[in-house]
Amino acid sequence: MKLPRSAVIVGGNRTPFVKAGGAYAQASNLDLLTAALDGLAARFGLAGRRLDEVAGGAVLKHSADFNLTREAVLGSALDPTTPAVDLQQACGTGLETVLYVANKIALGQADSGIGAGVDSASDAPITVTDGLRRALLAANRAKTLPQRLEALARIRPHHLLPIAPQVVEPRTGLSMGEHQAATTASWGITRAAQDELALTSHQNLAAAWDAGFFDDLVTAYHGVTRDGLLRADTSAEKLAALKPVFGGAEGTMTAGNSTALTDGAAAVLLAEQSWAKANGLPALARIVDAQVAAIDHTSGDDLLLAPAHAVARLLERQGMQLGDFAFYEIHEAFAGTVLATLAAWESAQFCSDRLGLAKPLGSIERAKLNVHGSSLAAGHPFAATGGRIVASLAKTLHTEGSGARGLVSICAAGGQGVVAILEAV
Amino acid sequence: MSVLEQLLYSAPGQLVAEKLGLPEPEVLRRGRKLPAGAVVTAALAGSTLATDTLALLGVPIDSALRDDGAEPPAYPERIGALVIDARGLRQLVELEGLRAVLRPAMKGLEASGRVVVLADAEVEGLEANAVRQGLDGINRTVGKELRHGATSNLIYCSPSITGAELASTMSFLLEGRSAFVDGQSWTVGSPLTPPGELATRPLLDRIVVVTGSARGIGARIAGVAARDGAKVVCVDVPAAGEALAAVANRLGGTALQLDITAAEAGERIAAHVASRYGEQARIHGLVHNAGITRDKLLANTDAARWGQVIEVNLAAQLRINPVLLDGRPGGLGDDARIVSIASTSGIAGNRGQANYAASKAGVVGLVRAFAAEVAERGITVNAVAPGFIETDMTAKIPFVQREVFRRTNSLGQGGDPIDVAETIGYFLDPASAGVSGQVIRVCGQNLVGA
């Protein structure tokens, strides 16, 4: 469906991403998101201006942050009458916030907005046990002192142990890494191939930093001026020396080819194309279309391969081929995820049995994949990854020239995936 | 502030300091504020330039008292400023006129009062040239003798100058904006294009680019430009991005993270301006403020330290200027203002700063040559040369040394970053079309390099 209005990406801003517990250990989600919004406001002269809406979100979120994005807007340079909404779709959050704003713009419900995401694994909420929680709630409801004491007397020592959040699928009890390890093994992805992808990610990201690519995409934060996880000097030998962390002793997945827990925030400024022009703002790329899909990992599907399904549906709707893109951004949750996704698209059996296609979607040119590095090198603050990818890809496409298309693919917990097509203005 | 320094500026400390000949520094009149007392004038050779200019500014004037009789006369109330129009003076005996009007004023000026002397920029003949230079000696001495934050400055005026062409300079000198400019002289000419009207927000809706504006003096320059109505483009290196964003957001401007030594720096400034303010937008003011120090005695200075300073402080602007002057969208417009930062270290030389002095003296050379080159486009090129200014950078100087720097000027204190910014604001003013190729020291008449 061709909509009368075009939502374009004006630009983006993010904090440098750093390893959890590092330089941002004392920064909250609110601090990080506010910083990302302020950097964006400064880049585009938005201080004191009201936008139609800011959509944001975080995956690891305190209950007190029920209005995280609105609070970040109030603390930022934006006009305080800018409304905001919190969204959450695990690692798809960042891309979903962009799509939410883009869709409102396309439908005429908004002219301008920001899609944003943040995560601080350093500031993750620690919850109390169910037993303690129930006892405290009962004590709170009690009307008399004896009733209150009785409620509190139900607390047992084991109730006092704190529960930290885990990256575990509730219905399988398996960590995301263990799920991916099974996928990696079943698709026959080698250790060498995974390490090679990780090495390329570091090399690409380092080259982008050195070339000044991030000068208008990142604003320094807390004295950090570059992505902290980036290892510009890593090598195939160093990556090969790492011990497996998922998949047992014979596993192929290491800390080098899996993403680390990361802190960071990212924001993307979107606008209706003519509104952007009238307001002296650039237009890098428009959002062409998007698709979300889910698989059933509880019945044995590969947890992180939902984007393979989403891309098939998106291409069919748009009448496009997998090879029609100048650049591909496939989120590197694990090197194995990217490689299994590529293998799935190349597999006649998968494309036929699972996607219902007469022939495989085919291969992509690896030189067009994650050309400025991706999550293995930059890190992966869950909800911030979408914004990082969209802003970088929009800039890359714009440099390539009008009409250049890019494909974004992001896998998410719960067996979900969000994908989108951008096209340079 | 160190413990020693806190002690010195405490109440008992001040008592001791005063006994030691370190009086408490005067709080200077600053901002767009005229003197409280009357502005008195004396035209020594019939020139009406001073009165014409003051009339344009709407400043009421009285006649200056003259020491002609047996007893020197005294002003019944403190005066705010004495403006001496010394144009037309050609003979040494005529210098007596300055003595006659200065004598009553020296004790009659209010705190942060002003002496302004107007003189001819171009004279012929030996005696006339001696007189012309003699005025400079008088001006510098008056600056040193005045107390309580009062200043004296001398303006050499081109032969055909009008009140409108001098108005922005007179306004700057009388107002608090020139608080830390003392004992200086510079030339105001007749520009090819008429000067803009005087206004309280002279930069309204004009674009001003300030490099190195994440903090310190650069942030204040951007602040003054914004106060005067400008849309500011704040430029600094990506590593300073967080502070830069805060400045840009506070001033309602835009932030451009850019290393000015990058090969395509000029192109990127123009692209940013065109993208944010439209293809038709042009830069009105370009302030080359970004600068670094890499201090070492020459005996310890390697090629890297040497090169970095010259690259950032001087070479970068030499590359950026021609790019922005080639007529591209987002480049410099006609009647634009280019301002650079020199330094008293450049003018006087400074131990341990050979590289910095080279770059800052180089700025002086660049400004003078460049001004002539772009004059026909109505573009002005000027520089300020700050003396001791209270910044994060000078706060790192050891206390005793710092106190010496502070005290060795006629105002007995360090300057505020705002003083540098206000002087740049004067250069940026569309009404300052006649001010080009000038280097104004903002140093409180520092002894260094005087």
Side-chain angles (χ1 to χ4, degrees), chain B residues 36-165:
Chain B
V39 175
V40 301
T41 63
L44 303 183
S47 163
T48 61
L49 181 62
T51 49
D52 291 351
T53 309
L54 290 164
L56 275 176
L57 297 180
V59 175
I61 50 175
D62 287 333
S63 289
L65 296 181
R66 291 181 66 98
D67 172 30
D68 290 335
E71 282 293 310
Y75 285 99
E77 288 173 27
R78 291 209 173 267
I79 57 168
L82 167 64
V83 180
I84 305 172
D85 194 338
R87 294 179 78 216
L89 257 58
R90 296 291 182 271
Q91 298 175 325
L92 286 172
V93 292
E94 292 174 308
L95 291 176
E96 153 61 17
L98 278 107
R99 186 208 60 79
V101 294
L102 280 165
R103 189 175 183 191
M106 295 308 285
K107 285 194 167 175
L109 266 182
E110 67 185 26
S112 293
R114 297 284 187 265
V115 172
V116 178
V117 183
L118 305 180
D120 288 311
E122 298 159 28
V123 293
E124 281 180 18
L126 297 180
E127 188 171 0
N129 270 289
V131 168
R132 181 189 180 281
Q133 198 64 36
L135 293 170
D136 186 48
I138 295 171
N139 173 55
R140 288 167 187 255
T141 305
V142 172
K144 289 182 180 182
E145 287 191 10
L146 287 172
R147 304 286 301 272
H148 303 297
T151 64
S152 178
N153 291 288
L154 167 63
I155 301 301
Y156 287 112
C157 305
S158 72
S160 57
I161 195 167
T162 64
E165 286 158 356

Side-chain angles (χ1 to χ4, degrees), chain A residues 38 41-45 47 77 215 218-222 225 280 282, chain B residues 238-239 241-242 245 248-249 252-255 257 268 272 275-277:
Chain A
D38 274 343
R43 186 159 298 140
F44 295 102
D215 281 3
V218 177
T219 301
Y221 183 62
H222 276 214
T225 58
Chain B
E242 191 177 7
N249 284 339
T254 57
Q257 301 190 137
R268 284 183 54 194
H272 177 93
S275 125
R276 297 300 185 277
Y277 304 101

Side-chain angles (χ1 to χ4, degrees), chain A residues 104-406:
Chain A
K104 282 203 172 185
I105 289 170
L107 287 170
Q109 295 170 3
D111 285 327
S112 63
I114 294 172
V118 57
D119 257 292
S120 169
S122 300
D123 185 39
I126 303 284
T127 48
V128 298
T129 58
D130 230 29
L132 177 59
R133 196 172 58 84
R134 284 172 200 280
L136 291 172
L137 287 170
N140 193 43
R141 281 193 301 269
K143 291 196 166 57
T144 65
L145 185 62
Q147 281 176 349
R148 189 162 296 150
L149 290 173
E150 188 199 0
L152 292 173
R154 283 182 229 146
I155 297 170
R156 296 288 171 268
H158 70 269
H159 287 153
L160 299 177
L161 291 171
I163 302 172
Q166 293 175 292
V167 190
V168 165
E169 284 298 323
R171 287 174 188 280
T172 62
L174 291 177
S175 72
M176 194 174 273
E178 289 303 332
H179 268 286
Q180 180 59 45
T183 301
T184 304
S186 74
W187 284 92
I189 311 294
T190 66
R191 167 79 184 263
Q194 294 174 62
D195 285 351
E196 188 196 353
L197 189 95
L199 180 62
T200 305
S201 188
H202 282 278
Q203 288 169 339
N204 285 350
L205 187 72
W209 273 109
D210 289 343
F213 178 76
F214 294 110
D215 281 3
D216 58 358
L217 290 170
V218 177
T219 301
Y221 183 62
H222 276 214
V224 181
T225 58
R226 276 197 179 203
D227 295 315
L229 284 146
L230 172 61
R231 294 288 171 268
D233 61 347
T234 194
S235 63
E237 293 72 35
K238 284 180 184 170
L239 287 165
L242 297 171
K243 288 196 165 53
V245 290
F246 300 113
E250 298 304 305
T252 57
M253 292 171 57
T254 68
N257 59 40
S258 309
T259 48
L261 287 175
T262 312
D263 298 344
V268 177
L269 179 61
L270 297 124
E272 201 281 320
Q273 193 165 355
S274 56
W275 188 93
K277 195 174 171 61
N279 284 272
L281 292 169
L284 300 179
R286 69 186 183 92
I287 310 269
V288 177
D289 200 356
Q291 178 72 46
V292 58
I295 51 78
D296 183 8
H297 58 289
T298 64
S299 306
D301 281 353
D302 292 309
L303 179 73
L304 299 179
L305 290 195
H309 298 253
V311 164
R313 292 175 209 169
L314 182 62
L315 292 177
E316 189 185 359
R317 180 163 66 238
Q318 287 293 327
M320 291 182 194
Q321 307 293 315
L322 187 60
D324 288 347
F325 299 90
F327 297 101
Y328 301 83
E329 283 286 341
I330 305 180
H331 160 49
E332 298 167 343
F334 304 90
T337 314
V338 178
L339 294 167
T341 302
L342 296 178
W345 287 334
E346 289 169 356
S347 160
Q349 193 188 350
F350 179 87
C351 289
S352 160
D353 294 357
R354 305 305 318 283
L355 306 181
L357 300 174
K359 54 178 185 159
L361 286 173
S363 306
I364 66 165
E365 272 183 61
R366 289 289 287 274
K368 296 178 176 176
L369 175 65
N370 300 347
V371 291
H372 295 113
S374 187
S375 303
L376 287 171
H380 174 38
F382 309 119
T385 291
R388 172 186 68 75
I389 289 175
V390 168
S392 287
L393 178 61
K395 176 176 174 174
T396 307
L397 292 170
H398 187 68
T399 307
E400 181 76 3
S402 179
R405 288 189 197 129

Side-chain angles (χ1 to χ4, degrees), chain B residues 164-446:
Chain B
E165 286 158 356
L166 187 64
S168 74
T169 301
M170 184 66 79
S171 167
F172 170 68
L173 283 172
L174 292 180
E175 288 183 354
R177 291 182 285 146
S178 64
F180 206 58
V181 179
D182 193 9
Q184 304 304 303
S185 61
W186 67 92
T187 302
V188 180
S190 277
L192 296 172
T193 48
E197 298 265 317
L198 277 185
T200 47
R201 301 196 80 198
L203 302 177
L204 195 62
D205 291 333
R206 291 171 186 265
I207 296 164
V208 173
V209 177
V210 185
T211 68
S213 50
R215 53 180 64 88
I217 291 174
R220 296 304 287 272
I221 295 167
V224 163
R227 180 202 67 190
D228 288 351
K231 300 171 185 169
V232 287
V233 176
C234 303
V235 181
D236 216 313
V237 290
E242 191 177 7
L244 185 72
V247 171
N249 284 339
R250 192 171 66 238
L251 303 177
T254 57
L256 172 60
Q257 301 190 137
L258 171 71
D259 180 346
I260 55 161
T261 64
E264 76 292 3
E267 286 84 351
R268 284 183 54 194
I269 291 171
H272 177 93
V273 170
S275 125
R276 297 300 185 277
Y277 304 101
E279 292 281 309
Q280 303 305 316
R282 294 293 182 273
I283 298 168
H284 167 75
L286 173 61
V287 184
H288 292 294
N289 166 72
I292 58 168
T293 55
R294 293 288 181 272
D295 297 354
K296 283 273 182 199
L297 292 176
L298 271 168
N300 303 319
T301 298
D302 59 19
R305 278 180 175 272
W306 186 266
Q308 273 178 331
V309 170
I310 298 202
E311 185 63 21
V312 174
N313 296 5
L314 189 53
Q317 46 187 297
L318 268 169
R319 278 194 301 269
I320 290 169
N321 288 335
V323 173
L324 294 179
L325 281 167
D326 71 2
R328 70 180 61 222
L332 285 155
D334 284 341
D335 304 331
R337 304 279 180 260
I338 299 170
V339 185
S340 294
I341 313 286
S343 165
T344 48
S345 292
I347 292 167
N350 196 19
R351 188 181 143 86
Q353 287 197 310
N355 49 2
Y356 188 73
S359 71
K360 294 300 185 179
V363 163
V364 176
L366 169 63
V367 159
R368 288 180 181 151
F370 196 20
E373 202 173 284
V374 292
E376 60 182 36
R377 292 176 64 177
I379 296 172
T380 70
V381 188
N382 294 287
V384 293
F388 183 84
I389 305 294
E390 306 281 355
T391 63
D392 291 346
M393 196 164 84
T394 54
K396 288 181 189 132
I397 299 171
F399 163 63
V400 174
Q401 210 180 336
R402 185 164 74 239
E403 197 58 31
V404 170
F405 285 143
R406 269 186 193 135
R407 298 282 178 174
T408 47
N409 67 57
S410 297
L411 297 172
Q413 58 187 296
D416 188 284
I418 193 78
D419 299 325
V420 178
E422 292 282 23
T423 306
I424 289 170
Y426 155 63
F427 287 144
L428 293 175
D429 193 331
S432 298
V435 187
S436 193
Q438 305 303 307
V439 179
I440 298 181
R441 292 173 41 147
V442 183
C443 65
Q445 200 177 20
N446 200 300

